[in-house]
Amino acid sequence: MSEPTLRELNHISREALSSILLAAPSEDTVVVVDVRDDDHIGGHIRASRHVPSSTLEYTASSLVKELQNAPRVVFHCALSQQRGPKAALKYLREREKLFPGGTINVTAKNKDGAAEGDAGETKKQEVLVLDGGFVEWQEKYGNDSRLTENYNAKLWEDGY
C-alpha cells in the first residue's frame, strides 16, 4: 500500500464537527487534535487535545496507539492549511507503520457508550482535517461555551 498524500486527506466542515460534538460530546465519537504551537491562544474546541505540531516528530507513535480505538480523529491548526494537514498525514503514515494495512477497526458507539449496529460490527477509523481551522471555528462558535473553551473574543477582534 502506498503512503497517504495530502491530496488524499478527508476534510470536515465546522458545521459537521459541531453537530457531532453536540450530539455526542465524547472521545467515543470523535477526538479533536489541536496542533497549534505558540498560537494556541484565544480559546480551543471543547475537550480537544493540544498536541503542538513541533512535538509530532516524537509523539506521533504514542498518539496513534492512544487513539487507536477512536472512530474519528480530527486535526486542526489555526487555518488548517499547513500544520493541521501535515499532522493528519504524519498520523496516517505512523498508523500505517504500526498497523500495517493502515486499518484500525473501531467499534462504533452511540451517545450512551453502547455499541451501535450489529454486535461486533466495526468501522474504519476516519482521519479528518477541520476546514478553516480554529480561525473559522471561532468566527461561528467562539462564544458557544458548549463547543469552545477559554474563548477570548478580544484576541480575535482584529482577525488572525
Side-chain angles (χ1 to χ4, degrees):
M1 183 175 187
S2 63
E3 281 196 342
T5 64
L6 285 172
R7 287 184 152 183
E8 296 167 352
L9 289 176
N10 293 314
H11 293 257
I12 187 169
S13 69
R14 61 188 178 182
E15 293 80 11
L17 179 57
S18 68
S19 293
I20 293 167
L21 292 172
L22 289 172
S26 96
E27 289 194 352
D28 288 337
T29 55
V30 64
V31 176
V32 178
V33 181
D34 184 337
V35 297
R36 290 179 289 165
D37 294 296
D38 58 356
D39 57 338
H40 187 257
I41 57 172
H44 56 269
I45 296 172
R46 180 168 288 286
S48 63
R49 293 178 178 215
H50 182 221
V51 181
S53 67
S54 59
T55 68
L56 280 171
E57 212 43 55
Y58 57 88
T59 60
S61 179
S62 60
L63 187 64
V64 168
K65 291 173 187 171
E66 200 176 313
L67 302 182
Q68 67 179 314
N69 294 318
R72 286 182 205 94
V73 182
V74 177
F75 287 88
H76 79 86
C77 57
L79 299 169
S80 288
Q81 293 176 353
Q82 295 286 326
R83 294 170 293 173
K86 284 182 182 177
L89 197 56
K90 175 77 175 158
Y91 180 89
L92 284 167
R93 289 177 176 166
E94 193 64 31
R95 187 179 79 178
E96 177 66 31
K97 281 188 225 169
L98 294 172
F99 302 97
T103 306
I104 300 175
N105 288 323
V106 295
T107 302
K109 295 181 181 179
N110 64 22
K111 66 181 177 181
D112 299 319
E116 279 186 347
D118 298 330
E121 179 186 1
T122 57
K123 296 183 178 182
K124 186 176 178 184
Q125 183 184 60
E126 291 180 88
V127 177
L128 306 157
V129 176
L130 176 62
D131 285 330
F134 189 75
V135 170
E136 286 190 16
W137 176 272
Q138 65 82 28
E139 288 171 357
K140 188 166 186 176
Y141 302 113
N143 288 311
D144 188 336
S145 62
R146 299 170 303 160
L147 295 167
T148 306
E149 294 178 310
N150 300 324
Y151 185 63
N152 183 339
K154 280 214 170 284
L155 289 174
W156 297 99
E157 283 177 354
D158 297 325
Y160 180 69

